[in-house]
Amino acid sequence: MVGVAALGFLIALEFAARRHGLPGPITNQVREVVFAPKSGGLLYAAMALTMVVLTWRQRFIAAGAAIGIDIAFLLVRWAVDAETTGGHPFGNGALWVILGCAVIAVTRRTGRERVLLLKGVGLGLLLMAGRKTGDTWLLITSKTRPAVLDQYVATADHALGDPSWLVGRVVTATGPIGFNFLDTVYGQLAVAAVVVALYQLRGVAVERRFPGHHLVRTFLVIGLVGPAFYMIFPVVGPIFAYGTGTEYWAPISLWAPDLPASGHWAVADLWPQTPPPVSTPHPMPFDGITPRNCMPSLHTAWAVAIFIHSRKGPRVLRYAGTFWLIATLAATLGFGYHYGVDLISGVVFTLTIEAALRSYDRGWDRSGIRLVAYGATVFAALLVSYRFLPLTMAEHPWVSGPLLMLAMTSVVYGYVRTTAAWEPRAAPAPRLEPQPEPI
């Protein structure tokens, strides 16, 4: 049922993209069987997820086959002088190995072994489909939402002290080294999630079953549900609405995106030096290319999910989860891609989804229903306040700012307290009864 629902959703999104003259997620994924993939690292991360169901011998064979296929593709492209513009020169081999595992599962496996291998293949394909689906969603938002609500969000952000402008100046001061370091962390978020997921799924090959709840599920649900709010609350971000767009970072970026100039659509060239003045906000038109992907911040949501799921790992994994969360927050604000209120809504959004998934796994009870309902209510209240009360929030920052932080903190506290009660308690150590001394 899950597979059929996912396939139906992908087909519907394919048709929606075609209506706007764009290739859909299925088309983009099929192209990567032969053409240079957009993200080779993501394809190898997906292959790593698939390999959790394989033995170590099978993993070495699969990895060797993927590398060999990539070398063959590289030689062919070199021989025919084929360009890899906009893509990576590697990654096709990983996709071929995943598809090969699917063929082996259908033709050479039976019973539980077939189901387990198909689950591994499905996990890898879902990660790739999630990326392609997200890319298609972003294109659709730019085509279907000609007006954006950045003035509302920027006005509400005065309550937090305009953090994007502050962090933007800090990142600018770090120069090419600081920017490109954060850009690498920001762009490889899915790979970081796979590292945590591989730790959680490390016992699948031995136990021959998947755990009830793991990071990949949360990651995919965030990517599936989140873009719906992009359609409801379209926002392009401060670097676009109040700056020169990607042109600002182009001189120092190693991987500058090839996008048309958007500065003439901005309110003014203010980011990151001058915070916008407080005034009555209005919807503003914007181009048909820039994604409306700010509210909520899904990069923040995914980084929070990685942080949560890394808490039960070894010390190095916990440190890595903390680092990725801090670096992602710095990048989302410092690059001018998000406002501060986007991050607050992203945190609440993630904790609500995580609570819902955990409640579903353990069986819904009063505590789970209460936590999910509270998180959803706070999230809805945040969006409503950003849309209808931004001027009031900006005029009373010493009241509205702490209230925003308190709302987010209350959801964090509720999640920690509720989920801690769900954890199995260790049995107390047996106490030795005193024995009578021999006479």
Side-chain angles (χ1 to χ4, degrees):
M1 291 178 62
V2 174
V4 170
L7 180 60
F9 176 74
L10 288 174
I11 293 174
L13 204 57
E14 183 78 22
F15 278 108
R18 293 286 181 175
R19 287 184 59 187
H20 296 283
L22 304 169
I26 299 176
T27 301
N28 286 330
Q29 192 62 73
V30 171
R31 282 178 53 85
E32 293 188 351
V33 175
V34 177
F35 294 96
K38 184 175 180 179
S39 176
L42 182 69
L43 288 174
Y44 269 92
M47 185 184 73
L49 285 179
T50 298
M51 291 195 302
V52 298
V53 303
L54 305 179
T55 64
W56 278 107
R57 178 177 177 274
Q58 293 168 339
R59 291 171 185 171
F60 283 121
I61 294 174
I67 295 172
I69 293 171
D70 270 336
I71 292 175
F73 268 93
L74 188 63
L75 293 175
V76 170
R77 290 190 182 113
W78 173 78
V80 301
D81 197 24
E83 297 290 337
T84 59
T85 305
H88 289 171
F90 64 93
N92 303 93
L95 180 55
W96 278 54
V97 166
I98 295 173
L99 297 177
C101 289
V103 173
I104 292 173
V106 174
T107 60
R108 305 291 297 275
R109 298 287 188 270
T110 59
R112 294 181 60 186
E113 289 299 312
R114 171 185 289 178
V115 172
L116 186 67
L117 185 53
L118 286 176
K119 284 184 177 181
V121 171
L123 203 61
L125 291 178
L126 279 174
L127 181 65
M128 294 186 294
R131 172 64 178 269
K132 299 303 179 186
T133 299
D135 291 343
T136 303
W137 262 119
L138 297 184
L139 289 172
I140 292 176
T141 63
S142 65
K143 300 297 183 182
T144 61
R145 294 296 181 267
V148 297
L149 304 178
D150 281 76
Q151 292 187 30
Y152 294 85
V153 183
T155 303
D157 221 37
H158 283 295
L160 299 176
D162 302 300
S164 181
W165 272 257
L166 174 62
V167 183
R169 292 195 294 271
V170 173
V171 174
T172 300
T174 64
I177 295 177
F179 171 82
N180 287 294
F181 173 75
L182 287 178
D183 195 28
T184 302
V185 174
Y186 188 83
Q188 300 302 319
L189 192 63
V191 178
V194 169
V195 172
V196 177
L198 289 177
Y199 174 79
Q200 293 180 320
L201 302 176
R202 66 193 183 282
V204 171
V206 176
E207 300 173 3
R208 313 309 292 168
R209 64 181 180 85
F210 281 85
H213 181 55
H214 50 83
L215 175 59
V216 179
R217 298 176 66 201
T218 306
F219 219 74
L220 293 174
V221 172
I222 289 173
L224 179 64
V225 178
F229 295 98
Y230 294 165
M231 307 293 285
I232 299 171
F233 209 117
V235 181
V236 293
I239 195 173
F240 297 102
Y242 294 94
T244 57
T246 54
E247 291 182 351
Y248 183 84
W249 298 115
I252 63 173
S253 175
L254 296 177
W255 303 281
D258 186 16
L259 293 175
S262 62
H264 57 283
W265 291 94
V267 176
D269 186 5
L270 301 176
W271 190 91
Q273 301 302 329
T274 307
V278 176
S279 60
T280 303
H282 301 281
M284 54 182 284
F286 213 78
D287 64 26
I289 299 173
T290 305
R292 282 70 162 139
N293 63 337
C294 285
M295 184 63 68
S297 168
L298 292 196
H299 260 80
T300 298
W302 283 318
V304 170
I306 292 173
F307 175 80
I308 292 172
H309 283 265
S310 66
R311 294 306 88 194
K312 293 185 179 180
R315 180 179 298 178
V316 64
L317 197 64
R318 296 196 302 271
Y319 287 166
T322 304
F323 160 77
W324 224 273
L325 175 61
I326 295 173
T328 300
L329 296 180
T332 54
L333 289 174
F335 293 169
Y337 295 160
H338 288 280
Y339 303 90
V341 292
D342 302 344
L343 275 59
I344 289 178
S345 58
V347 172
V348 175
F349 181 70
T350 299
L351 295 178
T352 304
I353 287 180
E354 181 71 15
L357 290 174
R358 294 192 62 177
S359 296
Y360 175 79
D361 287 331
R362 66 185 299 274
W364 289 95
D365 58 11
R366 181 177 297 179
S367 63
I369 295 173
R370 184 169 56 242
L371 177 59
V372 174
Y374 180 70
T377 301
V378 172
F379 180 72
L382 290 174
L383 296 191
V384 170
S385 65
Y386 302 158
R387 179 63 177 83
F388 297 104
L389 299 173
L391 195 57
T392 303
M393 296 168 65
E395 291 173 346
H396 303 88
W398 294 104
V399 176
S400 53
L403 284 177
L404 288 175
M405 298 302 297
L406 181 62
M408 181 187 72
T409 305
S410 67
V411 177
V412 174
Y413 174 75
Y415 176 84
V416 172
R417 182 177 180 180
T418 303
T419 55
W422 291 347
E423 297 296 332
R425 299 182 182 276
R431 298 178 60 184
L432 297 177
E433 295 294 333
Q435 300 295 327
E437 294 290 334
I439 299 176

